[in-house]
Amino acid sequence: MAFDSESSCVIGSSADMKQKLEEILKLMLTIWCRENNALKLISGKSNESDKTIVVQRDSDEFGFRIHGSKPVVVTVIEPNTPAESSGLEVGDIIISVNGVNVLDRSHSDVVQIAHAGSDTLTLEVARTSYALNSAKELSDSYTLYSGYLWKMSGYAKGNTTNKWTRRWFCLKKDNCLYYYKTDSDKQPVGVVMLFDQEIRELDTDTELSKPNKFVIQKEEAVPLYLAADTLEARSRWVEVIEKTLSECQAVDEYLEETKRNLTLSPNSISDPDCFGYLIKLGTQWKSWSRRYCVLKDAALYFYQDSNASNAFGVALLQGYRVQQSSSSKKHSFEIVPPDPTKKHYYFHAESDTDRRRWISALEYSIERWLVQQ
């Protein structure tokens, strides 16, 4: 691969399928909102799902986050914040912000409008309980196989123990194996990228104290030991993971597009999720450098400046999560890898508004690769 040393390992993806399902969901939500607006105009009455929410900024925070684009949807409401007490709900589609219709606005446009200086947000929203249930049905199609497995503790910390924990595992079409505390949880506690991994069954007479064991491991990496409840269940898991691993070896359209984008100027990358300057902590010299960055489809491209003819590197962020940083640098945040073999990224922005813009855009871009149930 033509990626530099700062690159993260990439996984295969079902890009076309994801894009189609995402567009279907967007179309469903947009049509539903427009229908409600039309009925409201004709009848003069608000639909039960139409709400006007006022959120007052407190301690420089509103307390909610949005994902998606045309339309945007509320996906996180932080506890003990103005958003929580305002009546805003996860799943609300934002129709207008302070009188500005944003139904056809991009994610970055809505963020800019919301942070335009006002300490009060008046949001017209559509409450979409049934639409989100339909979205869950769509997200189910991303899961190739799921079920409970026993996981040997210590994988995420770089060592193993003889303690086994029962977790709900989901193998999804993005070639990642997600595991949750229970089958009802929406947020995974870990992700295993299957790109370039190997799987093999373990004999019953090994020193590990579980029957029906198998292991997933990359060369020179910490192994992930798993065990099924029955021999038949183990055979099925090994079968579906082996099939996924074989598909990972194929030439991936996403990889090819990423390689092409590396050769382009920042203005030549079409429909980016976010772009602008960030100050990035270097890997080798541990110094901070100002870089022009372009985010597209969970790939973050690095340029010397906005006039560069091509990128000098890219971070592939499938499975990563974004969080605020405890760094002494103002307006800092970090992008945390799904396991310790991947690179950890540290940034700070030039303003708090810019930091929020980047965090929101990164979460949205990565979320498109992490379809939760």
Side-chain angles (χ1 to χ4, degrees):
M1 301 299 172
F3 304 120
D4 77 323
S5 59
E6 293 185 328
S7 299
S8 151
C9 179
V10 73
I11 56 174
S13 63
S14 301
D16 291 341
M17 179 66 74
K18 289 185 178 188
Q19 183 177 2
K20 289 176 182 177
L21 289 174
E22 188 176 88
E23 292 304 318
I24 289 172
L25 176 56
K26 287 181 183 178
L27 186 60
M28 287 170 54
L29 296 177
T30 303
I31 291 174
W32 190 77
C33 288
R34 292 192 187 284
E35 180 183 4
N36 283 348
N37 280 344
L39 291 173
K40 180 179 178 181
L41 181 64
I42 294 171
S43 65
K45 297 180 180 180
S46 294
N47 189 285
E48 282 186 3
S49 62
D50 293 336
K51 306 288 181 182
T52 299
I53 306 293
V54 178
V55 186
Q56 185 74 37
R57 193 198 302 264
D58 182 28
S59 300
D60 206 32
E61 293 287 347
F62 290 113
F64 69 96
R65 296 182 187 176
I66 57 173
H67 284 180
S69 187
K70 302 179 183 181
V72 298
V73 180
V74 176
T75 56
V76 175
I77 295 179
E78 298 172 355
N80 303 316
T81 63
E84 184 182 46
S85 58
S86 71
L88 195 66
E89 292 185 3
V90 170
D92 285 351
I93 298 174
I94 298 182
I95 297 175
S96 70
V97 178
N98 291 342
V100 179
N101 190 295
V102 296
L103 200 56
D104 293 318
R105 297 294 190 99
S106 69
H107 180 271
S108 58
D109 285 345
V110 178
V111 171
Q112 290 177 356
I113 292 170
H115 292 293
S118 174
D119 287 331
T120 301
L121 292 183
T122 301
L123 306 175
E124 184 181 358
V125 303
R127 193 140 291 167
T128 57
S129 299
Y130 81 83
L132 288 177
N133 287 336
S134 298
K136 181 184 182 302
E137 292 175 5
L138 284 174
S139 73
D140 287 343
S141 65
Y142 280 89
T143 300
L144 295 172
Y145 196 65
S146 60
Y148 277 103
L149 289 171
W150 293 93
K151 172 183 171 293
M152 178 174 278
S153 301
Y155 176 80
K157 296 180 180 179
N159 54 29
T160 56
T161 69
N162 207 26
K163 180 182 178 181
W164 293 86
T165 307
R166 192 171 172 83
R167 293 285 183 251
W168 179 258
F169 280 78
C170 290
L171 175 62
K172 299 192 179 184
K173 288 186 178 179
D174 59 2
N175 298 332
C176 279
L177 185 62
Y178 299 88
Y179 52 97
Y180 306 74
K181 287 186 177 180
T182 70
D183 58 355
S184 60
D185 287 353
K186 294 183 178 180
Q187 182 64 39
V189 294
V191 183
V192 181
M193 296 180 179
L194 294 180
F195 179 79
D196 209 23
Q197 300 263 15
E198 294 183 354
I199 184 172
R200 60 185 174 87
E201 298 180 356
L202 296 176
D203 297 332
T204 56
D205 59 353
T206 61
E207 67 277 9
L208 304 177
S209 58
K210 272 284 181 186
N212 310 315
K213 297 176 294 296
F214 59 98
V215 61
I216 300 173
Q217 185 176 17
K218 185 189 296 187
E219 186 178 356
E220 297 181 356
V222 179
L224 172 62
Y225 291 102
L226 301 171
D229 289 327
T230 66
L231 186 61
E232 292 76 12
R234 182 183 73 171
S235 297
R236 179 57 179 157
W237 272 108
V238 171
E239 177 187 353
V240 294
I241 292 176
E242 281 182 339
K243 184 175 184 296
T244 298
L245 291 173
S246 66
E247 292 172 351
C248 286
Q249 308 307 316
V251 177
D252 191 273
E253 291 184 4
Y254 175 80
L255 258 181
E256 293 303 312
E257 181 182 0
T258 303
K259 290 167 64 177
R260 287 193 297 270
N261 287 342
L262 278 167
T263 67
L264 301 177
S265 66
N267 293 331
S268 299
I269 296 181
S270 61
D271 300 322
D273 297 325
C274 196
F275 56 88
Y277 280 100
L278 285 172
I279 295 86
K280 175 180 177 295
L281 183 63
T283 305
Q284 185 174 2
W285 303 111
K286 299 300 181 184
S287 60
W288 294 92
S289 301
R290 189 170 184 260
R291 303 299 188 199
Y292 192 81
C293 302
V294 176
L295 174 67
K296 182 178 173 62
D297 295 339
L300 185 60
Y301 299 89
F302 303 117
Y303 300 82
Q304 296 292 348
D305 55 52
S306 59
N307 297 317
S309 59
N310 57 270
F312 67 79
V314 61
L316 302 170
L317 303 176
Q318 291 84 354
Y320 279 66
R321 58 185 173 86
V322 187
Q323 65 182 35
Q324 297 187 32
S325 175
S326 58
S327 167
S328 59
K329 296 288 185 180
K330 292 183 65 176
H331 320 309
S332 60
F333 63 94
E334 56 192 84
I335 308 177
V336 183
D339 71 70
T341 65
K342 307 296 184 298
K343 178 173 168 51
H344 199 132
Y345 295 94
Y346 299 88
F347 299 92
H348 68 89
E350 296 177 334
S351 68
D352 193 53
T353 298
D354 211 29
R355 176 184 63 85
R356 293 178 190 170
R357 177 175 72 94
W358 273 104
I359 290 177
S360 184
L362 283 159
E363 288 180 333
Y364 162 61
S365 192
I366 295 171
E367 185 81 8
R368 293 166 65 184
W369 298 88
L370 182 61
V371 181
Q372 300 173 1
Q373 298 194 74

